[in-house]
Amino acid sequence: MPRFAANLSMMFTEVDFLDRFGAAARAGFKAVEFLFPYAHPAGEIKARLEEHGLEIALFNFYPGDWGAGEKGLAAMPGREEEFLASVDQALEYARALGVPKLHLMAGLADPDSADHRARYVKHVRYAAERAAADGVLITLEPLNPYNVPGYFLPSVAHVLDVLAEIDRPNVKLQYDLYHAQLTDGDITHLTEAVADRIGHVQLASVPERHEPDRGELYYPYVLATLDRVGYDGWVGCEYNPAGETTAGLGWLDAYRGQS
């Protein structure tokens, strides 16, 4: 049975970020994930984790100017110094918080550009080699072109292609089922095909990106497929609740009751 991590960047937004740890624990979650921790000292986050008996499944490297629409630095020209600093920063937080996985965002760049690809491969390898010393896994996530036009990794197929070139054992696919359905589709066969490349999984309904008990993916079957192919990591609940977060968790209670 999959283990679920609450995404605190999207869930429990009825309260301030640091208070979301307690809200997630009270809702029955044993782990959390989120986009970025960098607005808060690592010590403050660690105190909330310890207070509520939680672990962190994953968070992202610094993405650049998020408010201006930037989505990472690894493939972007002219941002090398910022990228290198972001690796130091992410690994410092990962060590302090005991985080086993970090998502490295590529940025808005041309996937067909040899220059952008060479830069990206070089930067991912650098991050992977630095992270390996701490036993940290790097994940690469495709972001669909409907929500994030111009992203360097627009599909699972693109990630698999670049993973083959990066060729580092601690770099894997961040398999977000919402994005994967919108770009690659055929989720059952896709899951079977990428099973040995999956480093982390995230879940939401398609196409609304709400709770997974609606839309075009039958989530119990999708989760059973993940079980069947041997995925035993956390499944991040990276969705926008349709209403109040806790009121929308009936899908999770129902799933646990059936499993």
Side-chain angles (χ1 to χ4, degrees), residues 73-80 82 106 108-110 113 115-116 119 123:
L73 303 171
M76 293 181 66
R79 308 295 289 275
E80 287 81 1
E82 281 181 86
L108 305 179
D110 182 359
S113 164
D115 178 61
H116 291 180
R119 180 182 302 105
H123 283 165

Side-chain angles (χ1 to χ4, degrees), residues 90-105:
L91 291 175
E92 180 181 350
Y93 269 79
R95 284 190 291 269
L97 299 173
V99 177
K101 301 175 185 179
L102 295 170
H103 170 213
L104 179 56
M105 301 190 75

Side-chain angles (χ1 to χ4, degrees), residues 35-201:
L35 293 179
F36 315 109
Y38 311 113
H40 303 277
E44 289 185 1
I45 296 174
K46 185 175 182 179
R48 299 300 176 112
L49 294 170
E50 292 176 347
E51 178 184 358
H52 299 293
L54 294 167
E55 60 182 276
I56 300 179
L58 169 141
F59 61 78
N60 296 356
F61 284 74
Y62 173 71
D65 190 343
W66 186 260
E70 292 187 341
K71 304 294 182 186
L73 303 171
M76 293 181 66
R79 308 295 289 275
E80 287 81 1
E81 289 188 11
E82 281 181 86
F83 170 77
L84 296 176
S86 78
V87 174
D88 291 337
Q89 179 189 46
L91 291 175
E92 180 181 350
Y93 269 79
R95 284 190 291 269
L97 299 173
V99 177
K101 301 175 185 179
L102 295 170
H103 170 213
L104 179 56
M105 301 190 75
L108 305 179
D110 182 359
D112 297 320
S113 164
D115 178 61
H116 291 180
R117 180 172 175 131
R119 180 182 302 105
Y120 180 69
V121 169
K122 175 184 175 181
H123 283 165
V124 176
R125 286 175 173 169
Y126 172 81
E129 288 159 10
R130 290 284 312 280
D134 293 310
V136 171
L137 178 76
I138 302 297
T139 63
L140 311 180
E141 180 185 16
L143 303 181
N144 77 77
Y146 308 103
N147 293 124
V148 191
Y151 193 67
F152 182 72
L153 301 173
S155 70
V156 172
H158 279 82
V159 173
L160 295 179
D161 180 54
V162 79
L163 279 173
E165 182 175 354
I166 291 165
D167 191 26
R168 293 295 184 271
N170 66 325
V171 183
K172 292 199 170 188
L173 167 68
Q174 184 161 316
Y175 189 42
D176 185 315
L177 291 154
Y178 168 77
H179 291 294
Q181 173 68 357
L182 288 172
T183 57
D184 301 76
D186 193 14
I187 289 297
T188 299
H189 293 123
L190 181 63
T191 301
E192 293 169 345
V194 303
D196 63 341
R197 311 307 300 273
I198 296 174
H200 185 61
V201 171

